[in-house]
Amino acid sequence: MDVGSDSEMVESLARARGAEDVGLVDDIIANRLDRHAHVLTSVGDELSTVVAVLRDAAARGKRLRASFCLWGARGAADGELVPGAVETAAAIELFHLAALVHDDIMDNSDARRGLPTVHRRFADEHTRDGRHGDPDGFGSAVAILAGDMCLAWSDDLLATAVVDIDRDIRHATRMIWSQMRDEAFAGQYLDMLSQTIPATSITRARTVLRFKSARYTIGHPLGIGGTLGGASPTLVGQYDAIGLSAGEAFQLRDDLLGVFGDPAITGKPAIDDIREGKRTLLVALAERSASRTERRLLADCLGNPNLTEDQLSAVREVLSASGAVTVVEDRIARLADEAFATVDELEVDRVTRQALTCLIDRCLWRQS
């Protein structure tokens, strides 16, 4: 067999195995939601809408974090799928769903994954049914409850996943899980705090990148999976290094898509990040290089709830003309090189290495 054919076979096997793993995660999430739906709807039919909305939201995820968890486990176990890995990957996805539901409330977002956000759906239902009270307040309250339920369900699922494994591995897994939650919450708080401060700090923007996305998106899922698979300290450290580089690049791409992305592809409006006043590294770099007039325009537009499409176009022009977009794209490319170099050094089977390479590539050069 020639080298080209061999590489194609490895890539094909990685894709097939990855798709199969994601299918297992989907099944677990669906079964969990069915189980909880049975309890909720026994209280009253009114709760059936909450379950239906969460089912819709859960079914549309990219499953990136679950995939990194599963390949992290396979990499530590010579390509095998270790007990508890699929359930743990599903738990990560439920945690992520909770974070998204709450994040959309904080950002006042109307769309997510091509659907109205959870709080928006319940606010619209409130208006449509002619109920008493504030529709937006009702929608936000229900979404908070729905997000809290997903948080609780994720923790329950993790507990079930690790109950029968080695005590030391179970403890180490829980420690990373706990750290993941703390850092995700800290990153979200710092992200919100930055929107209350007129100037954008490059240092703060990078801190938010690290806590809210870098390790949460890639590093922690890899580490959790690797720990379940019995990874050595060296491999866990390499997984974390991949998370820091590829995870930061993932968020930088997200920041670009948040301003320049096509809503038909991303599933969310491109105007939201500027309306909410997101103080991203992209914005910080633009403020540093922009003229006084351009900085004034950014100050007037960032956090303006009445931002127009024309103003958004003007902001895009400043971000591009200042060189900020180029700097961010260059940094994504450098971080990608770092991540791929670390993947090449991993002591894992070829299929896992290929899968991680494809996953990282998918994260960094995506359009949604």
Side-chain angles (χ1 to χ4, degrees), residues 52-95:
V53 169
L54 287 177
R55 278 201 183 103
D56 284 347
R60 288 174 174 253
K62 298 182 182 72
R63 303 292 186 250
L64 287 174
R65 291 160 186 81
S67 295
F68 278 113
C69 176
L70 290 166
W71 284 112
R74 285 189 181 276
D78 295 324
E80 298 300 318
L81 194 57
V82 299
V86 176
E87 292 82 1
T88 300
I92 291 173
E93 289 294 325
L94 283 176
F95 174 82

Side-chain angles (χ1 to χ4, degrees), residues 140-201:
S140 295
V142 176
I144 290 170
L145 290 173
D148 287 349
M149 283 193 296
C150 289
L151 281 175
W153 296 343
S154 70
D155 222 43
D156 287 347
L157 186 51
L158 178 69
T160 301
V162 301
V163 67
D164 291 326
I165 65 175
D166 177 83
R167 184 180 64 180
D168 291 340
I169 292 178
R170 181 170 66 246
H171 175 72
T173 301
R174 291 289 321 197
M175 289 295 291
I176 301 175
W177 177 269
S178 179
Q179 184 179 2
M180 178 187 74
R181 290 184 307 186
D182 289 350
E183 290 187 359
F185 296 152
Q188 181 65 23
Y189 171 76
L190 292 174
D191 189 22
M192 294 170 56
L193 181 64
S194 68
Q195 296 173 40
T196 69
I197 301 171
T200 307
S201 163

Side-chain angles (χ1 to χ4, degrees), residues 219-297:
H220 285 317
L222 275 174
I224 289 171
T227 300
L228 283 173
S232 67
T234 298
L235 182 57
V236 171
Q238 289 173 315
Y239 280 167
D240 193 49
I242 292 170
L244 289 174
S245 52
E248 179 180 341
F250 173 89
Q251 185 58 49
L252 291 175
R253 176 63 61 204
D254 203 56
D255 293 341
L256 287 170
L257 290 172
V259 181
F260 295 95
D262 181 352
I265 299 175
T266 63
K268 58 186 296 187
I271 203 169
D272 280 3
D273 281 7
I274 303 302
R275 276 183 176 166
E276 292 304 313
K278 293 287 185 181
R279 300 285 174 170
T280 62
L281 184 61
L282 176 68
V283 170
L285 292 169
E287 288 178 344
R288 185 177 66 178
S289 303
S291 67
R292 180 179 300 177
T293 301
E294 290 171 331
R295 286 197 296 272
R296 187 178 303 117
L297 183 145

Side-chain angles (χ1 to χ4, degrees), residues 3 11 19 48 119 148 158 168 183 210-211 291 294 332:
V3 175
E11 182 173 352
S48 61
H119 69 277
D148 287 349
L158 178 69
D168 291 340
E183 290 187 359
R210 177 171 181 147
F211 281 175
S291 67
E294 290 171 331
I332 289 173

